[in-house]
Amino acid sequence: MIVLDGNAVSQKVLNQVREKVTALDRKPHLVVIMVGDDPASKVYVRNKQKAAWQVGIRSTVIEMESDVSEMELLDKICELNDKKDVTGILVQLPLPPQIDKNKVITAISPLKDVDGFTPENVGKLSIGLEPYFYPATPQGIIMLLDEYNIPIEGKDAVIIGRSNIVGKPMAQMLLNRNATVTICHSRTADLEDKIKTADILVSAVGKKIVRCKMVKNNSCVIDVGIYRDSNGQLTGDIDYDYVSESAGFISPVPGGVGPMTIASLMYNSAKIY
Ligand code: GUN
């Protein structure tokens, strides 16, 4: 079993991004908007800032109070869309309940949408056009698979989770690489049966869901889940010890998909339109 080293591969990507940024005449500037004080969001935003600093990308964090109005947030996005010196805009999710997430995402200029979440970028991805940006987590996973020369074409890929951030764009990107894709979710009738068929298994649920030894022999298992268990340990969706008996490749938590997502976001943030 080979452990997919997200720390090492992400450093390699970040080094390439740093070289690219150094050579650019016009410097990228990422603006991250964080609404409220969700503790997990704070950690993510801090990690994004650190990575931006590491690769020489200017980054600004705009913090807004949790009771900010939707209109105020939309106005801020419009202002950033029009600013020539801002090249990337990211609104950290989740947003408080008074704000319609989809309205906010739709307001971001597709040319500055480093998350790849706007309808234009999602639409382009789904009809086989090149989006301005691919969503960071699935793009980071593809980078990881490619780095280890894990074949995608013709393989059976099973994705657990159907979020707009991970599950759906992951399915689309694997489909574009000619995998046969199954998306599973909370209402899937026989999850274990589906898992058994996977050459590539991607779990993005946020709870321990893959406990069985039934992952296919020599398959590639990607764990997107990251949360603290009852002992305060960082853990993922996959029971590593069980699965490592049959999997050929596995991405650990921490040190797998997490650092790849950040590197992939920096890769996007170095793109200027
Ligand atoms: N919250 C959790 N993941 C993400 C992400 O990839 N982008 C944004 N903007 N917010 C998130």
Side-chain angles (χ1 to χ4, degrees):
M1 206 247 330
I2 292 172
V3 178
L4 302 173
D5 188 344
N7 286 325
V9 179
S10 68
Q11 284 307 320
K12 192 171 157 182
V13 174
L14 289 172
N15 288 338
Q16 286 163 356
V17 173
R18 188 185 326 107
E19 272 177 33
K20 180 184 167 182
V21 171
T22 308
L24 287 173
D25 287 331
R26 197 175 152 218
K27 297 298 178 196
H29 178 198
L30 171 67
V31 175
V32 176
I33 302 179
M34 185 167 57
V35 183
D37 46 19
D38 180 66
S41 289
K42 278 188 172 170
V43 175
Y44 292 142
V45 169
R46 201 176 320 122
N47 288 340
K48 288 168 187 177
Q49 268 188 298
K50 271 191 209 157
W53 179 79
Q54 191 189 335
V55 299
I57 291 177
R58 183 178 161 205
S59 77
T60 303
V61 176
I62 298 177
E63 292 185 35
M64 296 180 124
E65 298 292 334
S66 58
D67 63 354
V68 71
S69 71
E70 186 179 273
M71 188 54 78
E72 218 174 311
L73 178 53
L74 292 172
D75 283 347
K76 179 51 80 180
I77 291 169
C78 283
E79 182 192 317
L80 296 170
N81 283 342
D82 291 339
K83 268 198 175 168
K84 278 249 163 7
D85 79 310
V86 172
T87 58
I89 303 168
L90 184 154
V91 179
Q92 187 64 34
L93 304 173
L95 291 169
Q98 78 273 17
I99 296 174
D100 180 343
K101 171 183 73 174
N102 287 329
K103 252 195 205 169
V104 170
I105 289 168
T106 304
I108 299 170
S109 162
L111 288 89
K112 298 187 179 186
D113 167 32
V114 288
D115 262 329
F117 290 170
T118 60
E120 182 166 339
N121 284 320
V122 175
K124 282 186 158 172
L125 178 61
S126 84
I127 64 170
L129 287 176
E130 183 87 5
Y132 295 111
F133 301 97
Y134 290 91
T137 300
Q139 176 174 255
I141 291 170
I142 297 273
M143 286 172 174
L144 196 57
L145 296 177
D146 284 345
E147 182 67 26
Y148 284 86
N149 294 312
I150 294 164
I152 300 173
E153 181 159 324
K155 297 299 174 187
D156 288 317
V158 174
I159 298 159
I160 316 175
R162 53 177 155 178
S163 70
N164 292 335
I165 296 178
V166 184
K168 282 192 252 177
M170 185 81 261
Q172 200 64 62
M173 289 176 78
L174 289 169
L175 192 57
N176 289 355
R177 291 280 296 266
N178 299 314
T180 301
V181 179
T182 305
I183 306 179
C184 302
H185 46 78
S186 52
R187 312 286 170 88
T188 294
D190 195 340
L191 183 62
E192 226 173 278
D193 239 27
K194 305 285 189 295
I195 290 173
K196 272 189 232 168
T197 68
D199 299 305
I200 299 170
L201 177 68
V202 179
S203 184
V205 177
K207 57 183 170 193
K208 273 274 171 286
I209 194 136
V210 183
R211 295 176 184 279
C212 57
K213 293 184 186 180
M214 310 252 179
V215 303
K216 201 163 164 179
N217 258 338
N218 233 6
S219 60
C220 172
V221 179
I222 303 289
D223 196 342
V224 186
I226 183 158
Y227 46 94
R228 289 192 188 277
D229 66 14
S230 49
N231 303 319
Q233 281 283 104
L234 269 186
T235 185
D237 294 352
I238 290 163
D239 199 319
Y240 195 92
D241 293 335
Y242 266 115
V243 168
S244 58
E245 289 177 25
S246 16
F249 299 87
I250 188 164
S251 77
V253 176
V257 173
M260 287 309 300
T261 296
I262 300 268
S264 164
L265 178 69
M266 292 304 119
Y267 175 90
N268 283 351
S269 301
K271 273 192 184 175
I272 301 176
Y273 291 100

